[in-house]
Amino acid sequence: MKEIRAVVFGLVVVILVAAALAFWRRPAPEFSRVKGFKVEVKEREGDSTHRVTFSVPSNLVARVAKLSPIHSIGGDIRADWEGDVTPQDILSAAAESAPGRPGVIKKDDKTIEVVAQGTALDITIRDDWGKSVQLRVPRAIVESFSGDKDITTKEILRRIDELGPGDVVVVKDGDKEVTITAEPR
């Protein structure tokens, strides 16, 4: 009798594990163009370069985002955050940009260049010390932080997918570089 209970219990565990794997492995409906995100960290020391690369599947990003207790993102960063540059400043610079000519924001030792490309914003931040950050973000996310409208996590994922394959974030600090690239399906 104990053997039968053990076999039944084992089958139930196997079925639950198979169901969980099927749930986690099925493609996320928010991502139709992006298969995953490759993260690459490089550091140069003298003549050698150390490199670490790993991938994060898009369905994992979508599942984690859906598990988060945040249902929508928005607000007025000017009121909620004491920063030098507001989302409205970024949107204004994007409106001033033209093909081949970015909108420029100068704050202290930082230069922020913004180029509007359809529904995306290419943002490059540089300081006087040689550090730079390049971001490619959906315009809707910046608008949600400007207080204009809220955006759901599902909508954020869909907008990131609309950016398509390519570099999403590049951070350079001297001999160190971190790149996050959206990989095509």
Side-chain angles (χ1 to χ4, degrees):
M1 190 64 151
K2 286 184 180 182
E3 292 102 19
I4 293 174
R5 270 191 263 162
V7 169
V8 170
F9 181 71
L11 285 173
V12 168
V13 168
V14 168
I15 290 171
L16 289 175
V17 168
L21 280 174
F23 173 76
W24 282 96
R25 287 188 169 207
R26 76 172 188 232
E30 296 84 8
F31 288 104
S32 61
R33 297 180 187 153
V34 176
K35 176 178 78 171
F37 298 93
K38 182 175 88 172
V39 180
E40 183 177 25
V41 180
K42 290 190 279 188
E43 181 176 5
R44 285 189 209 104
E45 282 186 26
D47 293 341
S48 65
T49 300
H50 302 284
R51 182 181 310 224
V52 176
T53 304
F54 60 93
S55 292
V56 179
S58 61
N59 63 345
L60 177 63
V61 172
R63 300 294 181 254
V64 170
K66 288 178 184 176
L67 291 175
S68 74
I70 301 169
H71 299 292
S72 67
I73 296 174
D76 185 0
I77 284 195
R78 174 165 285 214
D80 300 335
W81 179 60
E82 301 286 328
D84 292 340
V85 178
T86 66
Q88 195 58 48
D89 293 338
I90 293 170
L91 292 171
S92 296
E96 295 170 5
S97 73
R101 189 179 55 84
V104 178
I105 303 168
K106 289 285 243 178
K107 294 287 184 170
D108 301 326
D109 65 339
K110 296 176 199 76
T111 302
I112 302 167
E113 297 176 351
V114 183
V115 177
Q117 293 188 349
T119 61
L121 298 177
D122 288 332
I123 303 169
T124 303
I125 305 164
R126 292 186 183 90
D127 68 7
D128 294 342
W129 296 93
K131 296 179 184 176
S132 71
V133 177
Q134 296 171 321
L135 303 168
R136 183 166 168 80
V137 296
R139 180 193 256 345
I141 293 175
V142 177
E143 289 172 347
S144 74
F145 286 123
S146 71
D148 291 346
K149 61 182 178 178
D150 287 352
I151 188 168
T152 65
T153 52
K154 186 175 184 171
E155 183 70 15
I156 289 172
L157 296 174
R158 208 175 95 243
R159 297 292 175 114
I160 290 172
D161 183 62
E162 287 174 1
L163 293 176
D167 289 349
V168 180
V169 177
V170 178
V171 179
K172 294 180 183 177
D173 181 6
D175 291 340
K176 300 172 189 160
E177 183 176 330
V178 178
T179 305
I180 300 174
T181 305
E183 297 177 311
R185 271 213 184 272

